[in-house]
Amino acid sequence: MRETRKERRVRFLLLFICISFTIGALYYKYSKQREIISPPLVTVLHQSLDKEDNPIIVLAKKQENNYILAEYEVQIDDNYLFKTRKAVTLDGKPTMISLDKESIGIWVKIEGKWNYFTSDFEVATRSTVYRERNSVEQSNLTTIKKDGRTIVQLGDKQLDVGEREIYQLFPLSKDGSLWLVITDQEIIISRMKN
């Protein structure tokens, strides 16, 4: 049985539609995966005073399809394991995070509006005059690129983070020996070396 010219055109049209649909679906899938993943917003709630005192940090980040605010205790004696103390789902995308001047609460800017979270992560009404405007991020560090590696210098001590690009650095200890490093790839805990 011979295929007519009309049947051949219909077959090619259906083949073209199937291929176009497949290419479109793959493009959509991979373009969604290439979305820029912004680093988490971080603040240090408590810096450790010694080896038995664990630092406490607060992260605002995207997890699956939601944004969360979570408090973690960094277990110094357990390979810097992040132990979740509490967490809450946010009602929008966080863009900034800040400490409170007088309480253990946290300020999170969500869709242009500052929201105050108590120490139990409950939303409460509080005047924004209590929001700490200074970041606890360390800014008096020198960053050096050496052989493709990023090295952070603080006085006579160095912190080598490899080939990663550093976004933020936070001191996790009062003596400046333990650091939380936000890179383009991950969050790392590192110690300064002489």
Side-chain angles (χ1 to χ4, degrees):
M1 188 172 202
R2 255 184 117 191
E3 182 179 44
T4 66
R5 198 175 264 178
K6 184 177 180 182
E7 290 173 334
R8 183 179 302 151
R9 285 183 189 157
V10 170
R11 182 170 52 89
F12 281 128
L13 179 63
L14 289 174
L15 184 63
F16 176 76
I17 290 171
C18 289
I19 290 172
S20 298
F21 179 76
T22 304
I23 290 171
L26 289 172
Y27 176 78
Y28 177 77
K29 178 182 176 185
Y30 289 113
S31 68
K32 283 292 195 184
Q33 288 179 351
R34 287 186 310 185
E35 280 182 7
I36 297 171
I37 299 170
S38 57
L41 302 172
V42 179
T43 190
V44 178
L45 201 56
H46 170 75
Q47 293 178 330
S48 71
L49 303 172
D50 55 39
K51 291 182 180 182
E52 285 77 40
D53 184 28
N54 291 324
I56 299 171
I57 63 169
V58 177
L59 290 166
K61 63 181 181 174
K62 187 171 186 173
Q63 188 170 353
E64 295 174 11
N65 292 327
N66 297 315
Y67 291 97
I68 64 162
L69 181 67
E71 181 179 295
Y72 297 98
E73 182 176 359
V74 181
Q75 305 285 312
I76 295 174
D77 59 349
D78 192 8
N79 203 25
Y80 306 115
L81 176 74
F82 279 42
K83 180 182 175 187
T84 306
R85 294 170 49 117
K86 58 188 113 169
V88 66
T89 302
L90 299 173
D91 290 333
K93 181 180 180 180
T95 54
M96 293 178 78
I97 188 169
S98 179
L99 295 172
D100 192 78
K101 289 180 182 178
E102 296 179 355
S103 71
I104 305 175
I106 299 292
W107 289 90
V108 181
K109 192 172 191 179
I110 302 170
E111 297 173 3
K113 182 181 174 222
W114 282 102
N115 297 276
Y116 175 73
F117 291 85
T118 66
S119 60
D120 295 324
F121 281 3
E122 295 173 355
V123 179
T125 303
R126 186 162 170 85
S127 173
T128 56
V129 298
Y130 293 107
R131 185 175 60 82
E132 185 69 56
R133 295 187 195 317
N134 297 332
S135 172
V136 294
E137 179 183 359
Q138 194 68 22
S139 59
N140 59 345
L141 299 168
T142 305
T143 304
I144 304 165
K145 286 282 192 181
K146 187 176 183 181
D147 299 326
R149 301 183 71 78
T150 304
I151 299 170
V152 179
Q153 183 107 24
L154 178 63
D156 61 341
K157 296 182 179 181
Q158 289 186 341
L159 180 70
D160 186 346
V161 295
E163 297 178 3
R164 301 172 185 97
E165 189 69 34
I166 296 175
Y167 287 136
Q168 295 175 302
L169 286 166
F170 296 92
L172 289 179
S173 61
K174 290 282 187 185
D175 65 0
S177 62
L178 189 64
W179 291 82
L180 176 75
V181 184
I182 310 293
T183 72
D184 57 343
Q185 300 169 13
E186 60 191 337
I187 299 174
I188 25 181
I189 307 290
S190 190
R191 287 199 172 274
M192 282 279 189
K193 296 177 183 162
N194 289 331

